[in-house]
Amino acid sequence: DTEVTQTPKHLVMGMTNKKSLKCEQHMGHRAMYWYKQKAKKPPELMFVYSYEKLSINESVPSRFSPECPNSSLLNLHLHALQPEDSALYLCASSKAGTGREKLFFGSGTQLSVL
Amino acid sequence: GIQVEQSPPDLILQEGANSTLRCNFSDSVNNLQWFHQNPWGQLINLFYIPSGTKQNGRLSATTVATERYSLLYISSSQTTDSGVYFCAVERHRGSTLGRLYFGRGTQLTVWP
């Protein structure tokens, strides 16, 4: 099984809503990532978890709150988002997050903030 | 960070044609990957290739790390090859381990 599963596939939310994005993998990987991708742009790294600990936070605003309950699951909690946060949010995983590793991506959640 | 430049930015081909995509990077890397993003947004890992040459069916890739570039070859292109091809690299430096920097991609369109 080489899949990274993301839910939901699409999400529309208002600026006062609270929502969560979910990501799951069963490849035994110990590193999980959140990337953000705007239309016609490359993916940009947001967060990295390695062995369930946050190892990289790319100065992401606090309205995005990641959580890694266990090595197979990764959540991204959203609160008080802005319209400019509308984007494709991609989850990825790799063996350990220590570098030199192949990344496997999910199909993403397309988020629209109204 | 590290600069990653991909060329060409856009490529339009007839089905059956061959193509070469290029990725130049500005610093030593210990990780280079090629991805294909299909029209539905799915990013597929094509190659993990920090150096050397690999082949997978109609696709092959070569990375010359000492000269800081990588090439992706697509032979006998098919309409399903359409999408954006990204090159992503990780610097050979401790503080940036785990950070993949993406190029801006090459948009490939293959017509029947």
Side-chain angles (χ1 to χ4, degrees):
Chain A
D1 183 1
T2 58
E3 271 198 7
V4 176
T5 304
Q6 290 188 243
T7 55
K9 294 196 182 306
H10 302 275
L11 180 62
V12 179
M13 61 186 290
M15 289 190 285
T16 58
N17 293 156
K18 285 185 181 180
K19 296 286 185 184
S20 297
L21 309 184
K22 296 185 185 302
C23 176
E24 191 169 5
Q25 56 86 17
H26 295 289
M27 293 180 276
H29 289 172
R30 302 307 300 271
M32 297 187 78
Y33 306 73
W34 281 114
Y35 279 80
K36 174 182 177 179
Q37 187 179 23
K38 302 281 277 184
K40 307 284 187 188
K41 299 287 188 184
E44 294 178 345
L45 182 64
M46 299 174 73
F47 303 104
V48 181
Y49 274 84
S50 180
Y51 291 87
E52 292 110 70
K53 293 192 187 314
L54 184 64
S55 59
I56 295 175
N57 176 343
E58 292 286 63
S59 302
V60 178
S62 60
R63 56 186 185 269
F64 295 92
S65 176
E67 178 195 20
C68 189
N70 60 58
S71 60
S72 300
L73 293 174
L74 184 67
N75 299 319
L76 186 63
H77 303 297
L78 313 173
H79 177 231
L81 293 193
Q82 304 298 308
E84 58 265 29
D85 297 321
S86 298
L88 180 67
Y89 288 84
L90 293 159
C91 173
S93 71
S94 68
K95 281 188 178 176
T98 52
R100 304 189 186 190
E101 295 171 355
K102 189 173 179 178
L103 254 64
F104 296 85
F105 280 86
S107 55
T109 294
Q110 186 65 57
L111 174 67
S112 296
V113 182
L114 304 179
Chain B
I2 185 172
Q3 304 304 311
V4 184
E5 295 182 359
Q6 292 187 240
S7 60
D10 296 279
L11 188 57
I12 300 174
L13 299 174
Q14 197 81 34
E15 205 168 26
N18 302 328
S19 60
T20 300
L21 283 58
R22 187 177 180 103
C23 173
N24 292 334
F25 41 94
S26 61
D27 202 349
S28 299
V29 301
N30 60 10
N31 183 349
L32 186 145
Q33 300 181 42
W34 282 98
F35 294 90
H36 173 220
Q37 189 165 38
N38 65 26
W40 298 272
Q42 174 78 57
L43 267 171
I44 305 296
N45 195 309
L46 300 175
F47 293 103
Y48 169 79
I49 187 166
S51 64
T53 297
K54 290 187 178 180
Q55 178 150 12
N56 184 3
R58 296 181 296 103
L59 274 58
S60 64
T62 295
T63 297
V64 184
T66 53
E67 296 186 23
R68 299 183 183 171
Y69 73 89
S70 183
L71 302 174
L72 178 68
Y73 305 95
I74 304 174
S75 64
S76 304
S77 56
Q78 301 175 357
T79 56
T80 51
D81 294 331
S82 296
V84 183
Y85 289 80
F86 287 106
C87 167
V89 304
E90 179 182 346
R91 286 181 69 188
H92 189 63
R93 298 282 188 273
S95 65
T96 56
L97 284 177
R99 287 181 169 88
L100 267 187
Y101 295 92
F102 281 74
R104 297 179 67 84
T106 291
Q107 173 72 60
L108 175 64
T109 303
V110 181
W111 294 99

